[in-house]
Amino acid sequence: MFWQSNQTMGYLLKKQKSFSYLDKGEGTPIIILHGLMGGLSNFEGVTQFFSNQGYRVIIPELPIYTLPILKTTVKNLALHVSKFMDFLQLEEAIILGNSLGGHIGLLMTKLFPKKVKGLVITGSSGLYENSMGESYPKRGDYDYIKEKAENVFYDPKIATKEIVDEVYASVNDRNKLIRTLAIAKSAIRHNMAADLPKMNTPTCIIWGKNDTVTPPEVADEFHRLLPDSSLYWIDQCGHAPMMEHPDTFNQHLHHWLQSKAI
């Protein structure tokens, strides 16, 4: 959950009405939902690959830090994604989410099953996650934030200075911190365990075997509870498989899409 980048892979973001998003390729739409402190560039490998494989890759900037504080919830973010699809006149799409984005995708699938052609979750919250702690006790301590950011990945080098700097700035921004805590509490309230057995949407679960934020047993539990799910593991990989092992992630996702003819 704790990485981000404001980079947009060199693509111009489209800004229309209240939406800001990346839109690349043509074909079946894949809507990608970033995590709480995630950014569009986290999915550069996915965007490059699938936009050349007959898919339209769309990544909206989620209004995590701009919603009114009382509306900063997983449900309102799911409603935002639904309105975004209406704005783009998309009747259905594949939803791909990492961390909080996976949780939003799960709730989207529960609330609007006809809009979700297929669901892809990786390092998703919704059942359990091990976060930095609700009080952020050492948020002014750069080395502490650096260590926490590095722990998100199997290879700590993935947590570049740019990523650590942005996370540090976010947790020391009072507006962002308040909303981070609000969304974290909302995620805990919106536990999906009772809902998953009723969700028949084809679901692809791609998980890092070394994820310490949402440990491997969380993936096993998603797989057990979701009626139509496929589980793919990536070795030597933490909480963001699409960043640490983009090629392997893309291979797993492509295999699943082909197997389901999506």
Side-chain angles (χ1 to χ4, degrees), residues 82-83 85-86 91-93 108 112-117:
S82 178
K83 290 174 185 174
M85 288 184 65
D86 293 342
E91 290 186 5
E92 62 177 6
M108 264 283 296
F112 309 102
K114 290 183 179 179
K115 288 187 171 183
V116 184
K117 188 172 186 178

Side-chain angles (χ1 to χ4, degrees), residues 126-127 190-198 221-222 225:
L127 288 177
H190 280 92
N191 186 285
M192 302 289 295
D195 301 307
L196 299 180
K198 306 169 207 168
E221 188 71 355
F222 273 122
L225 291 171

Side-chain angles (χ1 to χ4, degrees), residues 22-23 32 59 91 135 154 186 210 230 235 251 258 262:
L22 182 153
D23 192 344
I32 297 178
I59 316 180
E91 290 186 5
S135 61
Y154 177 81
S186 169
N210 309 92
S230 304
D235 288 324
Q251 287 168 11
Q258 289 186 317
I262 297 178

Side-chain angles (χ1 to χ4, degrees), residues 123-249:
S124 177
S125 57
L127 288 177
Y128 166 83
E129 67 171 331
N130 177 26
S131 69
M132 291 174 76
E134 290 188 6
S135 61
Y136 287 76
K138 300 180 183 177
R139 60 191 174 96
D141 185 334
Y142 186 88
D143 289 337
Y144 172 79
I145 298 299
K146 180 173 183 287
E147 179 185 352
K148 287 297 181 181
E150 290 176 344
N151 288 345
V152 165
F153 307 101
Y154 177 81
D155 179 2
K157 295 189 188 71
I158 302 291
T160 62
K161 185 176 186 301
E162 177 194 32
I163 288 173
V164 175
D165 286 350
E166 290 183 13
V167 174
Y168 180 78
S170 290
V171 299
N172 283 282
D173 179 313
R174 187 172 180 275
N175 171 59
K176 289 186 177 182
L177 179 63
I178 290 170
R179 282 164 175 76
T180 296
L181 298 180
I183 203 71
K185 289 176 181 176
S186 169
I188 292 168
R189 289 196 305 271
H190 280 92
N191 186 285
M192 302 289 295
D195 301 307
L196 299 180
K198 306 169 207 168
M199 292 165 51
N200 295 303
T201 302
T203 303
C204 176
I205 305 166
I206 305 177
W207 224 264
K209 278 197 171 178
N210 309 92
D211 189 340
T212 59
V213 180
T214 46
E217 54 266 29
V218 178
D220 285 327
E221 188 71 355
F222 273 122
H223 187 39
R224 184 181 72 81
L225 291 171
L226 285 161
D228 184 4
S229 63
S230 304
L231 174 57
Y232 298 87
W233 294 105
I234 300 182
D235 288 324
Q236 297 184 349
C237 181
H239 189 53
M242 72 289 173
M243 291 177 71
E244 285 204 81
H245 297 280
D247 292 340
T248 305
F249 183 92

Side-chain angles (χ1 to χ4, degrees), residues 7-19:
Q7 301 299 312
T8 56
M9 302 173 271
Y11 308 134
L12 287 175
L13 287 183
K14 295 186 177 182
K15 296 182 185 290
Q16 295 174 288
K17 292 196 174 180
S18 59
F19 302 108

